[in-house]
Amino acid sequence: MASVSATCCKLGSSLKLPRGSSQSSGKLSSLKMVSVSRFPSLQSSRFFICCSAKPETVDKVCEIVRNQLALPPESPLTPDSKFAALGADSLDTVEIVMALEDAFNISVEEESSQNITSVQEAADMIEKLVEKKTEAA
């Protein structure tokens, strides 16, 4: 399954333009429209669009991961960084999730925590849980 990442997205037959944007300019704020026909491999594949977490959430997750794994400040850490590639084992991953729960005041279900393998996945999950918590309040 192919994956396409976007900062924000709306799926459907119509796309509402942000205030102040011009349809005739071909631009939608910071979004860039790309036709799937330009990517033949995606035409026959099923794919999904993932809305990426806010940069401040990703930065905080990076800080927590860096602290939990005792990574030096100069070691590269990006949203695409996989915990295993950073040297984390399953116990380290559990500790990262617990630190994220404390930092963001959320509760992560065990089955959800097993699907978190990268900084971006953690940040996306956090934003979903924070949004659900806000809606429930």
Side-chain angles (χ1 to χ4, degrees), residues 86-125:
L86 297 170
D89 59 19
S90 59
L91 180 58
D92 291 322
T93 303
V94 169
E95 290 175 350
I96 289 169
V97 171
M98 289 172 46
L100 293 171
E101 288 178 320
D102 288 342
F104 290 94
N105 195 24
I106 57 171
S107 180
V108 179
E109 294 179 16
E110 186 177 340
E111 60 189 41
S112 295
S113 67
Q114 294 172 356
N115 296 326
I116 302 170
T117 62
S118 72
V119 169
Q120 186 67 56
E121 289 171 359
D124 291 342
M125 182 223 34

